[in-house]
Amino acid sequence: MSIAKALGGPIVYLSPNRYSSHALAVLPGLDHIVHIPLPNLNYRELRNLSVEFMKSPKSFLVREDDSSAERKGHAVKPNLGHSAKRRFAAMLLLEQLWSTVVKPVLDGLGIKVFDKPRIWWSPSGPLSSFPIHAAGIYTDDGHARGPVLSDYVVSSYFSSASALAFATRPENPSQKFSLLTIANPTGAGLPGTESELEKIKKHTKTRELTCGGATVEAVKNEMEHASWVHFACHGIAKPDEPMESALILANHAHLTLREISDMSLPQAEFAFLSACYTARGVAEAPDQAAHLSTGMLVCGYRSVIGTMWQISDGYAPFVADHVYAKMLEGGQSDYRRAACALHDAVQALRKEHKVGFETWLPFIHVGV
């Protein structure tokens, strides 16, 4: 109960199982847990969907170096002929999540459209693999045609109560703001990361590690002295060895989840992992939430923006620009604005670029 009070919003545990699925909500100001049945959630079907969905190696948009459009720094449009089947499957999944999971929770908590409270989701079992934050009713080209969760709440995730409690630990009043940016290591072929870094520098001074200077040793050393860190690079998920999931730095060296989890960074506040697969679970064990974003919480960061799948090298700078504009608004740094900043960035992306859900769906917020 004390964690929900510290957060100022509801914490929702989603528990699907073979016999009866339900949600348990912890609300600030209440001394009891709110039980919300999810009678229409089919566990076996959900499990099968989860494994198949996580096995798919490609998303729609890619932070990769094999596109001539991306080499020129332009936004990349999805190849609809190639991705139509996956988009249709995702559309059906998001609609199912809305009707069987999200809508019952919103009704149970009395949350109405445009209320926009913060909410923390803790999905378990096969739900751990799915983008709860994107649940809603969409057209076959990825645009909203009915209710969507982002019109009701600002969503965050967390992997465990202990991780969330650690993220709400007392703050150091003498903590000073400093931002470390790691971008476009040599050979990455990601021109969008250069634009991303320039957009961040519009809002604040940064300590930069780029190209050959972004070695694993240098990055780990600088992370010990920075309160915020931004990675704009390649990322990989290792389904068979999740602790070897990594951010790719200079000379193709890996900063692994294992190394990140072993670090202790009590001064850390915010991390933005603008790379592919930094919040991706494991296909063979979709109920395990071992990924780079949760690793950032373990080592001390309170608030993390990560990605469930691949992201667009063309649109990532737009998201970063809007996030930092909000988090550094008025010349004051505040890591607690991260979830709302990401929410607003996604809404702006949808409005200004008229993109479908495949473009913004990968971005998620974890922690405070």
Side-chain angles (χ1 to χ4, degrees), residues 315-367:
Y315 288 120
F318 180 96
V319 174
D321 186 19
H322 281 67
V323 165
Y324 285 102
K326 179 78 171 182
M327 294 184 67
L328 298 166
E329 195 172 37
Q332 299 294 319
S333 63
D334 190 348
Y335 67 87
R336 291 166 295 188
R337 298 174 184 167
C340 291
L342 178 62
H343 179 91
D344 291 350
V346 164
Q347 298 298 83
L349 184 62
R350 293 170 63 188
K351 182 178 180 180
E352 295 180 28
H353 289 277
K354 309 298 183 183
V355 296
F357 59 69
E358 66 274 5
T359 305
W360 55 264
L361 180 150
F363 292 98
I364 70 167
H365 177 264
V366 180

Side-chain angles (χ1 to χ4, degrees), residues 164-179:
L164 200 55
F166 186 47
T168 59
R169 65 191 183 277
E171 297 184 11
N172 180 357
S174 62
Q175 175 68 54
K176 294 183 179 180
F177 166 76
S178 60
L179 172 60

Side-chain angles (χ1 to χ4, degrees), residues 51-64 82 86 235-237 239 276-277 280 283 308-311:
V51 172
E52 291 305 313
F53 200 66
M54 291 297 295
K55 279 182 179 178
S56 178
K58 294 288 184 182
S59 186
F60 302 92
L61 295 168
V62 188
R63 171 150 261 186
E64 291 286 1
H82 177 71
R86 177 169 166 79
I236 58 170
C276 302
Y277 300 129
R280 187 190 186 198
M308 299 188 80
W309 298 296
Q310 291 169 316
I311 60 174

Side-chain angles (χ1 to χ4, degrees), residues 13-334:
Y13 296 88
L14 300 175
S15 301
N17 63 64
R18 293 177 177 83
Y19 307 105
S20 63
S21 298
H22 56 270
L24 300 175
V26 181
L27 279 68
L30 287 185
D31 57 3
H32 64 277
I33 294 175
V34 177
H35 174 255
I36 304 170
L38 304 175
N40 297 320
L41 189 60
N42 185 310
Y43 178 85
R44 178 173 295 181
E45 180 182 352
L46 192 69
R47 181 78 183 185
N48 292 337
L49 280 171
S50 176
V51 172
E52 291 305 313
F53 200 66
M54 291 297 295
K55 279 182 179 178
S56 178
K58 294 288 184 182
S59 186
F60 302 92
L61 295 168
V62 188
R63 171 150 261 186
E64 291 286 1
D65 59 0
D66 57 357
S67 166
S68 59
E70 285 179 332
R71 287 181 184 276
K72 297 175 182 177
H74 299 317
V76 179
K77 299 296 184 182
N79 181 337
L80 298 185
H82 177 71
S83 63
K85 288 184 178 180
R86 177 169 166 79
R87 175 188 270 171
F88 183 72
M91 181 189 73
L92 295 180
L93 170 65
L94 295 175
E95 185 169 342
Q96 184 175 357
L97 289 175
W98 170 261
S99 61
T100 65
V101 179
V102 168
K103 185 61 164 58
V105 170
L106 295 178
D107 290 344
L109 297 180
I111 297 175
K112 300 186 182 303
V113 67
F114 304 129
D115 282 353
K116 297 293 183 74
R118 291 284 309 277
I119 190 168
W120 282 261
W121 301 101
S122 180
S124 63
L127 283 176
S128 301
S129 307
F130 291 152
I132 305 297
H133 65 286
I137 312 299
Y138 297 89
T139 63
D140 57 7
D141 61 356
H143 297 89
R145 65 174 177 85
V148 294
L149 180 58
S150 58
D151 287 338
Y152 290 76
V153 301
V154 175
S155 292
S156 296
Y157 292 89
F158 69 99
S159 57
S160 68
S162 60
L164 200 55
F166 186 47
T168 59
R169 65 191 183 277
E171 297 184 11
N172 180 357
S174 62
Q175 175 68 54
K176 294 183 179 180
F177 166 76
S178 60
L179 172 60
L180 170 66
T181 55
I182 299 99
N184 201 27
T186 301
L190 300 176
T193 62
E194 298 175 10
S195 171
E196 194 166 328
L197 191 58
E198 290 302 314
K199 290 184 180 298
I200 294 171
K201 288 192 292 187
K202 291 193 312 182
H203 305 292
T204 187
K205 294 180 180 180
T206 70
R207 168 75 172 114
E208 298 177 25
L209 289 176
T210 61
C211 300
T215 64
V216 170
E217 182 179 358
V219 168
K220 290 174 67 175
N221 179 65
E222 290 294 335
M223 287 173 68
E224 294 180 359
H225 305 289
S227 57
W228 293 17
V229 62
H230 184 98
F231 286 88
C233 58
H234 284 300
I236 58 170
K238 292 289 189 75
D240 297 329
E241 299 177 279
M243 295 303 289
E244 297 305 312
S245 297
L247 297 161
I248 311 302
L249 303 180
N251 303 315
H252 306 288
H254 290 191
L255 176 59
T256 66
L257 174 57
R258 187 183 308 281
E259 291 176 286
I260 291 170
S261 300
D262 286 343
M263 298 175 72
S264 178
L265 303 172
Q267 83 292 345
E269 292 181 341
F270 171 67
F272 193 145
L273 307 184
S274 185
C276 302
Y277 300 129
T278 57
R280 187 190 186 198
V282 181
E284 290 75 10
D287 49 348
Q288 294 182 10
H291 49 65
L292 292 161
S293 294
T294 56
M296 287 290 179
L297 290 184
V298 170
C299 76
Y301 290 91
R302 300 171 185 266
S303 180
V304 182
I305 292 175
T307 61
M308 299 188 80
W309 298 296
Q310 291 169 316
I311 60 174
S312 164
D313 191 52
Y315 288 120
F318 180 96
V319 174
D321 186 19
H322 281 67
V323 165
Y324 285 102
K326 179 78 171 182
M327 294 184 67
L328 298 166
E329 195 172 37
Q332 299 294 319
S333 63
D334 190 348

